[in-house]
Amino acid sequence: MTPRRGLGARWLAFVLHRGQAADRRAYGARKRALLAGLGPTVVEIGAGAGVNAEYLAPGTRWLAVEPNGFLHADLRRAADRAGPVLDLRTAAAEALPFPDASADAVVATLVLCSVHDPAAALAEARRVLRPGGRFVFIEHVAAPRATLLRRLQHVLRAPWAVVADGCRPDRDTEALIRAAGFTEVSVGRFRMPLGLVAPHIAGTAVNAV
């Protein structure tokens, strides 16, 4: 997740800006359940247009990592509306600009699909989490092996990545999270009416004490 510029970054910002209401309808209930009670310091990887701000308690220190500068104005507006205290950083998920054990929670929603090195990003999440801190996630994931959808995800991943800002529809994010060294990994699976990226997971993983 390197800093993004140019027409592609501008197009992604437009899509995320216009899609905030749809995100709320699709994921709002799950986000409300997962993000309630986090804090007081929360790192969000790929904070986008700030759709998660409303689920954070007012006064939460919101360390928002977003490499697309075209989204920064949306993030500031979201913080002003919802009340978390925004600390906005342009950085990569694989190199978070925060000290070790400095966060109570790390949040990733619909972002690990497009991170260049998700294993490194998860290692960084563990590094910045305090002992006992939580990694909270909602992600679309690879379909089960030997299914038609899994084959389609694999065949179409290159053109999909072009139109979806590097997104990998066939990434097995659940396996990556389970292999990252967290304890007490809790994963729920669900489907959304989103075609190639219908399979989803949501859950939490606790950093080792």
Side-chain angles (χ1 to χ4, degrees):
M1 189 192 293
T2 55
R4 290 173 178 148
R5 306 175 182 85
L7 290 177
R10 190 181 292 275
W11 167 248
L12 177 66
F14 172 79
V15 170
L16 293 181
H17 174 79
R18 296 297 296 270
Q20 292 183 70
D23 183 279
R24 188 177 297 110
R25 290 192 298 270
Y27 302 104
R30 285 187 173 86
K31 288 184 174 183
R32 194 168 293 109
L34 285 168
L35 303 183
L38 298 182
T41 301
V42 176
V43 172
E44 182 173 3
I45 300 169
V51 292
N52 292 334
E54 66 184 272
Y55 308 109
L56 301 176
T60 299
R61 188 182 179 208
W62 182 29
L63 306 178
V65 178
E66 178 47 61
N68 188 336
F70 296 115
L71 289 162
H72 288 184
D74 282 320
L75 283 162
R76 294 187 181 97
R77 284 191 291 267
D80 288 343
R81 286 194 303 268
V85 180
L86 176 64
D87 184 344
L88 178 55
R89 307 293 183 95
T90 302
E94 299 91 340
L96 296 176
F98 310 117
D100 296 356
S102 59
D104 299 291
V106 175
V107 173
T109 62
L110 306 177
V111 67
L112 291 176
C113 58
S114 58
V115 169
H116 176 69
D117 187 342
L122 289 165
E124 278 291 272
R126 284 196 62 208
R127 180 186 66 77
V128 303
L129 276 172
R130 64 169 175 78
R134 283 186 288 168
F135 176 63
V136 181
F137 55 90
I138 299 175
E139 298 287 342
H140 70 77
V141 295
R145 294 183 183 278
T147 62
L148 175 60
L149 181 55
R150 180 64 171 260
R151 290 194 290 272
L152 287 173
Q153 288 177 331
H154 180 73
V155 169
L156 297 175
R157 66 181 179 180
W160 182 268
V162 172
V163 300
D165 195 48
C167 169
R168 283 282 302 271
D170 62 342
R171 180 164 281 170
D172 191 352
T173 301
E174 179 178 349
L176 290 165
I177 292 170
R178 291 191 180 279
F182 293 105
T183 58
E184 300 178 44
V185 178
S186 175
V187 179
R189 300 172 186 84
F190 64 101
R191 293 180 69 86
M192 298 295 290
L194 296 172
L196 200 65
V197 292
H200 282 60
I201 60 172
T204 61
V206 179
N207 200 28
V209 176

